[in-house]
Amino acid sequence: GSATLWHMSTIQRHFLGWDQPFLPVVANWLQEHHLQQTIGEKNNLLVLVSGQEVARRLQGILVGNAAKEGRATVLPPIETTSQCLGRFMGKGEIVADSMTALVATASVLRSMPHEIVESILGTKRPEIDDTTAWLTIAKQVCSQLLQLSGGGISPNCSTWPEQARDMLTDGAKKRFSALHEIQQQVQSTLLEDGLHLLETKCLKLLDETQQIDVENVQHLILVGTSDLSEMVTKTIDRLCELGVSIESLIRAPETESIAFDAH
């Protein structure tokens, strides 16, 4: 649709071919197009890569190239997708680690009325002091909530498009409603200790009514990020709308462009 076309024109794609090692080619491209700035210039560039190892290798190549040419270079931040999401999530708010969130979820599940969580637990509720059973169920709940947020989706069905809501069976509606209730209670439990739930923080990035502080980032470069989660692509689209210029470096020749989407 028109939205896709609009994003196509917003994210500039560069096909860097596949006949040479990708990261050295990326380093040269970055040097040529973005890194001619002088020392001390405020860096308004952010480079997004698929993992920590790629970030390390790219940094090494950029530093090595600069040393070979006998010049200083100011490296831009090179981040993974989770670091990048963290950057835009708001400062000073501590996100609970996965173990803390798991324990909070188990304790919330245990204290909730059975009729609310029956769709999750089934008819047989574990004994109140069977910690292992509650943690096992909590692990499944956390994994489902994480899967939803990875797709940029809230368990609150009322926020879904009508077409998606119409496909839900009554059982599924009950289950999502329970997941939403659990998530809200876990968040308020964690807030008592000044902690935030990662999933609700992520989803806030997609909420049009919430401000995103893009700091001084004016350019975002995607480096070979061909399997981004829906959550990340939606966040990138939001950054686009906020005026961040976005370029995508693709490890393939232009002749293969039909195989790649807008990101």
Side-chain angles (χ1 to χ4, degrees):
S2 56
T4 314
L5 287 173
W6 183 79
H7 285 309
M8 289 288 270
S9 64
T10 314
I11 297 179
Q12 220 184 330
R13 302 185 305 165
H14 304 280
F15 290 87
L16 303 189
W18 53 31
D19 48 355
Q20 288 177 316
F22 187 52
L23 290 181
V25 173
V26 167
N28 292 340
W29 187 94
L30 286 171
Q31 188 57 54
E32 193 184 326
H33 294 85
H34 285 284
L35 299 182
Q36 312 91 335
Q37 68 248 66
T38 53
I39 286 284
E41 185 178 316
K42 202 164 186 207
N43 203 327
N44 55 17
L45 174 70
L46 176 61
V47 178
L48 195 61
V49 294
S50 56
Q52 205 69 61
E53 184 52 34
V54 179
R56 274 196 293 273
R57 282 171 51 210
L58 184 54
Q59 278 164 343
I61 294 167
L62 287 167
V63 169
N65 287 355
K68 256 183 269 174
E69 293 166 29
R71 59 179 167 75
T73 184
V74 181
L75 282 186
I78 300 174
E79 295 183 350
T80 62
T81 50
S82 57
Q83 288 169 327
C84 173
L85 288 177
R87 164 189 286 269
F88 295 118
M89 269 182 204
K91 299 290 160 279
E93 293 184 346
I94 305 165
V95 173
D97 62 59
S98 54
M99 185 47 84
T100 307
L102 176 67
V103 172
T105 305
S107 113
V108 161
L109 274 166
R110 193 157 50 180
S111 63
M112 282 176 94
H114 193 69
E115 60 274 14
I116 293 179
V117 286
E118 189 174 6
S119 59
I120 307 274
L121 300 179
T123 47
K124 196 170 180 301
R125 189 185 174 97
E127 293 299 324
I128 205 79
D129 54 0
D130 187 351
T131 310
T132 311
W134 288 108
L135 281 172
T136 303
I137 297 163
K139 202 174 276 186
Q140 291 165 0
V141 167
C142 288
S143 147
Q144 286 166 6
L145 289 170
L146 196 60
Q147 215 172 352
L148 283 168
S149 75
I153 300 164
S154 161
N156 178 4
C157 308
S158 67
T159 62
W160 298 6
E162 195 177 344
Q163 197 182 356
R165 288 203 306 269
D166 289 346
M167 291 168 71
L168 291 174
T169 61
D170 285 347
K173 278 182 196 155
K174 276 193 184 125
R175 194 172 178 81
F176 282 116
S177 163
L179 286 171
H180 183 226
E181 179 72 27
I182 293 163
Q183 188 175 57
Q184 286 188 306
Q185 290 209 23
V186 170
Q187 176 61 85
S188 53
T189 303
L190 290 170
L191 273 174
E192 289 168 20
D193 294 318
L195 296 171
H196 291 262
L197 197 56
L198 178 64
E199 291 84 354
T200 49
K201 293 280 292 166
C202 279
L203 289 170
K204 260 193 184 163
L205 288 175
L206 305 183
D207 182 348
E208 301 285 331
T209 64
Q210 299 280 334
Q211 285 290 305
I212 294 187
D213 176 13
V214 297
E215 301 162 329
N216 59 334
V217 174
Q218 290 166 21
H219 306 282
L220 179 64
I221 314 284
L222 311 175
V223 173
T225 46
S226 54
D227 56 354
L228 294 171
S229 74
E230 195 74 11
M231 175 70 220
V232 175
T233 57
K234 286 177 176 176
T235 304
I236 288 170
D237 289 345
R238 237 204 120 188
L239 295 173
C240 258
E241 288 158 20
L242 294 170
V244 176
S245 95
I246 298 180
E247 295 176 275
S248 182
L249 308 184
I250 299 165
R251 184 180 194 167
E254 187 108 33
T255 50
E256 302 296 321
S257 63
I258 195 79
F260 295 88
D261 68 9
H263 296 86

